[in-house]
Amino acid sequence: MIVTIPNSLAPPSILAFAAELDGLPAAELYEFDFGRSRWFPPFSMLLLAIILKRFRDAHPESRCRARNHEHHTYAAHLGFFRSFGLQHGNSPGAAPGSDNYVPITRLDIEEIRREAVDRWVEVGDVLEAKARELAGVLTRTDQGALFDTLSYSIREIIRNTVEHSEAPDLLICAQYWPTRNEVEVGIADAGIGIMRGLQRNPSFADLDERQAIQTALMPGVSGNPLAGTGTDVWQNSGYGLYMTNRICRSGGKFMICSGNAALQLTANDKMDLAGNMPGTAVRLLINTDRLPDLREQLQRFHEEGRRAAQTIRGANTSFASTASQMLSEDFQGNEIDDDF
Ligand SMILES: Nc1ncnc2c1ncn2[C@@H]1O[C@H](COP(=O)(O)OP(=O)(O)OP(=O)(O)O)[C@@H](O)[C@H]1O
Ligand SMILES: [Mg+2]
């Protein structure tokens, strides 16, 4: 049976393709046709890799073969084909990551935890360093509004994966196009998904997947029932997704897919899509044209978020300042901890 990879590689058509794969009848051979050469955006590449890997794993008795994959040298270079098991091109993480891109890269969560223990630091500190490293690869700098915005946003999304997803690893892929004034970052895990993540908090136990992704984006909403209590800077407060989606939406786009729900948001628009994803995948699309100072932006979102949280049932409305509401420089140095 021939399965045609969709011509449009925009996330909505990949989500539709995932549903199509689910409905395919049993066959001895599935031949995936990658078609003519075209642009594979980072997040689309991640989604497609996850979906194809899931299909491969669900059909252990069938043969899966690729055709026309050799047209896609750039995707091959970024580790796309190897990330779902096809022996073609680079392995994930093998491309050097220059020219403002991060190839498909797998981060091992257990390894991150071990590194934190070995270095006597918090997991959040290790993730902060990882996020800064990735933002540095993309921007070729270690300061400025774009660097700050990217390291903050990447940190918050990978923190969520590590803190909430229960997945063993996460995938990240990103690219910055200076001439287009655009950065795209995709981060995905195959964990428990947003709905089950939120259900840990009794206030949000009855939401379905669609309601859960909408609710998780609101300020003060956390699956951690202890959100907002305590003074630890890495304590959850329910602001990570709220802040990152607001950052992306000023000029760019934010997308989140989890289970059977997906949501794409721009400054004025909300697109509700049927999803079909194991775990959680987030796309950050940031417009780098006239990017505002991140510190001021976070402060404003923080204040607006606090006010909005008062009206959201179950939201954390405490005033503890935690990492998701601040830039790293705002809390570094405050938390020197020599305990052991
Ligand atoms: N990758 C994920 N897997 C499972 N659940 C998730 C994931 N990302 C987010 N969630 C759920 O969405 C909730 C809201 O996330 P958000 O980042 O806004 O707040 P938080 O992580 O709880 O707190 P903070 O970001 O302030 O530390 C999480 O508490 C969790 O229940
Ligand atoms: Mg968070």
Side-chain angles (χ1 to χ4, degrees):
M1 173 183 305
I2 294 186
V3 185
T4 308
I5 303 292
N7 230 332
S8 156
L9 293 169
S13 63
I14 294 181
L15 292 175
F17 176 64
E20 182 191 322
L21 283 189
D22 264 1
L24 287 184
E28 272 176 29
L29 170 69
Y30 297 97
E31 191 157 0
F32 289 87
D33 188 346
F34 287 86
R36 63 179 171 78
S37 149
R38 60 204 183 286
W39 167 237
F40 274 57
F43 181 69
S44 303
M45 222 163 23
L46 267 194
L47 283 189
L48 202 49
I50 290 167
I51 288 162
L52 291 173
K53 171 85 168 46
R54 180 175 61 177
F55 185 85
R56 170 69 282 183
D57 292 345
H59 297 79
E61 308 298 331
S62 308
R63 239 183 106 195
C64 289
R65 212 163 60 192
R67 63 151 81 165
N68 286 325
H69 50 294
E70 63 281 357
H71 294 164
H72 305 283
T73 44
Y74 191 65
H77 180 66
L78 292 197
F80 169 65
F81 294 104
R82 299 249 176 199
S83 65
F84 60 87
L86 181 71
Q87 304 304 308
H88 177 68
N90 280 324
S91 294
S98 56
D99 292 337
N100 308 101
Y101 68 77
V102 173
I104 297 184
T105 302
R106 179 179 165 274
L107 295 185
D108 183 317
I109 292 176
E110 212 29 62
E111 216 168 273
I112 287 168
R113 291 195 207 283
R114 260 199 314 274
E115 187 181 335
V117 171
D118 290 349
R119 290 176 40 205
W120 294 16
V121 295
E122 303 265 359
V123 170
D125 295 313
V126 176
L127 297 178
E128 162 80 21
K130 275 269 180 281
R132 290 175 71 90
E133 183 190 321
L134 293 165
V137 169
L138 286 172
T139 60
R140 313 260 124 216
T141 172
D142 60 1
Q143 58 189 333
L146 178 58
F147 174 81
D148 285 348
T149 302
L150 279 174
S151 35
Y152 171 86
S153 313
I154 293 172
R155 178 189 82 201
E156 287 307 310
I157 303 303
I158 61 180
R159 267 186 72 209
N160 277 352
T161 294
V162 172
E163 292 169 4
H164 308 299
S165 80
E166 299 177 21
D169 51 23
L170 65 94
L171 290 176
I172 180 163
C173 183
Q175 182 147 19
Y176 170 35
W177 299 273
T179 51
R180 273 165 50 180
N181 294 318
E182 200 172 83
V183 185
E184 176 169 339
V185 181
I187 296 172
D189 66 67
I192 61 172
I194 300 283
M195 182 183 75
R196 286 179 55 207
L198 268 189
Q199 275 172 355
R200 287 168 50 223
N201 185 336
S203 303
F204 307 114
D206 298 326
L207 305 177
D208 65 20
E209 280 176 326
R210 180 157 310 282
Q211 293 162 332
I213 60 172
Q214 308 244 15
T215 308
L217 299 184
M218 295 177 183
V221 169
S222 177
N224 182 347
L226 299 177
T229 63
T231 53
D232 177 1
V233 73
W234 296 114
Q235 169 72 35
N236 293 134
S237 69
Y239 275 77
L241 288 178
Y242 171 72
M243 298 293 231
T244 38
N245 99 75
R246 291 214 53 185
I247 289 170
C248 294
R249 287 163 61 193
S250 43
K253 285 181 190 168
F254 180 89
M255 183 170 199
I256 183 161
C257 313
S258 184
N260 66 20
L263 199 60
Q264 176 159 281
L265 302 160
T266 60
N268 320 307
D269 227 27
K270 185 167 109 177
M271 193 155 84
D272 224 327
L273 297 157
N276 187 321
M277 284 297 301
T280 307
V282 172
R283 174 170 75 155
L284 313 169
L285 203 66
I286 293 169
N287 182 340
T288 64
D289 196 19
R290 294 188 298 270
L291 203 63
D293 176 67
L294 183 64
R295 195 180 319 274
E296 283 165 25
Q297 220 183 2
L298 289 181
Q299 232 155 43
R300 184 160 65 80
F301 294 158
H302 172 113
E303 279 156 25
E304 288 175 13
R306 283 253 178 269
R307 246 173 287 139
Q310 312 288 333
T311 66
I312 300 166
R313 193 183 63 84
N316 153 45
T317 53
S318 89
F319 286 86
S321 269
T322 52
S324 62
Q325 298 165 43
M326 290 183 286
L327 252 178
S328 63
E329 286 118 55
D330 296 334
F331 59 75
Q332 268 173 12
N334 300 339
E335 287 283 318
I336 298 167
D337 194 346
D338 297 325
D339 292 358
F340 64 98

